[in-house]
Amino acid sequence: QNNMLDFVFAVDDSVTWHMMNLLKNRSHYSFLKVFGPKQISSIQSYGAGIYYNTLVPCNGRMIKYGVISTDTLIDDLLHWKTLYVAGRLQKPVKILTQNENSRLQAALVSNLKSAVTAAFLMLPESFSEEDLYMQIAGLSYSGDFRMVIGEDRSKVQNIVKPNVPHFQKLYSNILQDCPQVVYKHHLGRLEASIDKSPEGQFTQLMALPRTLQQKITSLVDPPGKNRDVEEILLQVAHDPDCGFVVHQG
């Protein structure tokens, strides 16, 4: 009851949305309301591309809500441009309403597949289902400067342990399609043997979102060499510390 509810609205036209919301819910906004919807929308485009109204009382609860443009959301889901909203959507959330946007539907699935691929690269050859969900839930915290090591793990555990059935629901279709995974659904258990050969890891590295590939490339390739991404990822695939390099990226 005391937890703040966190909503995200993906909107096709941010200026119109803020204009209408300012008419209905002006009190939700900070002093920025005086600048009007166009200015609020331009501020929204900075950083992770999401604008938050916080500490909003609603039906006896305290809520906050973020507004993101559908195009920005799709970009983050596909390429992990910031991993801010994409990271949230790798965890179980309640989708309240969704229009028939096939690009968005495909991007939501792509984000989950990317999360599984990144987790496979960072996990050992065999692992439990809970290990997998811990790794996935920890992805968006790996690069979050606000998370202190240690706080990181307990926060992730608190997300995963009570929500294993919801993680299963979110990822079961993708895991059933993974050749490396034997999904024993009736036992509620997953058995995986991940291909840790350089060839297997290279295939997974090539399937990662573009931004993460670029981050890995810049970690491994000293400036001025200008080798192509594929060549560098092949080098990483042969590195015994491949999973650590992905985690750093």
Side-chain angles (χ1 to χ4, degrees), residues 105-160:
Q105 304 271 15
L108 286 163
V109 174
S110 174
N111 179 43
L112 299 180
K113 285 181 177 172
S114 297
V116 169
T117 303
F120 281 174
L121 281 159
M122 290 189 269
L123 284 161
E125 247 175 289
S126 55
F127 49 84
S128 71
E129 189 170 11
E130 196 171 294
D131 291 338
L132 174 65
Y133 300 144
M134 286 284 291
Q135 194 73 58
I136 288 171
L139 284 174
S140 53
Y141 295 121
S142 305
D144 191 336
F145 66 90
R146 296 168 301 176
M147 295 297 289
V148 183
I149 310 301
E151 181 197 352
D152 183 348
R153 185 161 177 84
S154 61
K155 183 157 187 172
V156 171
Q157 266 178 336
N158 292 341
I159 291 168
V160 174

Side-chain angles (χ1 to χ4, degrees), residues 45-164:
S45 64
Y46 286 101
I50 186 164
Y51 176 90
Y52 261 98
N53 282 331
T54 61
L55 300 172
V56 176
C58 178
N59 294 352
R61 293 288 293 266
M62 198 59 84
I63 72 164
K64 60 177 176 175
Y65 61 90
V67 183
I68 187 168
S69 86
T70 310
D71 286 343
T72 303
L73 174 58
I74 289 169
D75 196 32
D76 197 33
L77 290 168
L78 292 177
H79 306 303
W80 290 5
K81 196 174 173 195
T82 68
L83 198 55
Y84 188 78
V85 180
R88 285 161 183 245
L89 289 164
Q90 289 161 3
K91 305 173 188 78
V93 298
K94 175 90 171 153
I95 294 181
L96 298 172
T97 179
Q98 195 174 352
N99 65 9
E100 294 302 310
N101 184 328
S102 56
R103 280 177 63 237
L104 179 55
Q105 304 271 15
L108 286 163
V109 174
S110 174
N111 179 43
L112 299 180
K113 285 181 177 172
S114 297
V116 169
T117 303
F120 281 174
L121 281 159
M122 290 189 269
L123 284 161
E125 247 175 289
S126 55
F127 49 84
S128 71
E129 189 170 11
E130 196 171 294
D131 291 338
L132 174 65
Y133 300 144
M134 286 284 291
Q135 194 73 58
I136 288 171
L139 284 174
S140 53
Y141 295 121
S142 305
D144 191 336
F145 66 90
R146 296 168 301 176
M147 295 297 289
V148 183
I149 310 301
E151 181 197 352
D152 183 348
R153 185 161 177 84
S154 61
K155 183 157 187 172
V156 171
Q157 266 178 336
N158 292 341
I159 291 168
V160 174
K161 284 197 179 288
N163 283 305
V164 168

Side-chain angles (χ1 to χ4, degrees), residues 26 33 49 65 94 100 117 122 143 175 180 188 196 240 248:
R26 196 171 176 80
K33 58 178 163 268
Y65 61 90
K94 175 90 171 153
E100 294 302 310
T117 303
M122 290 189 269
L175 294 173
Q180 308 98 317
K196 290 288 175 184
Q248 278 190 306

Side-chain angles (χ1 to χ4, degrees), residues 220-231:
V220 174
D221 199 38
K225 279 273 195 79
N226 293 330
R227 291 183 298 159
D228 68 23
V229 171
E230 199 168 325
E231 193 185 335

Side-chain angles (χ1 to χ4, degrees), residues 222-243:
K225 279 273 195 79
N226 293 330
R227 291 183 298 159
D228 68 23
V229 171
E230 199 168 325
E231 193 185 335
I232 293 154
L233 294 181
L234 187 59
Q235 179 191 326
V236 174
H238 282 81
D239 188 334
D241 291 328
C242 173

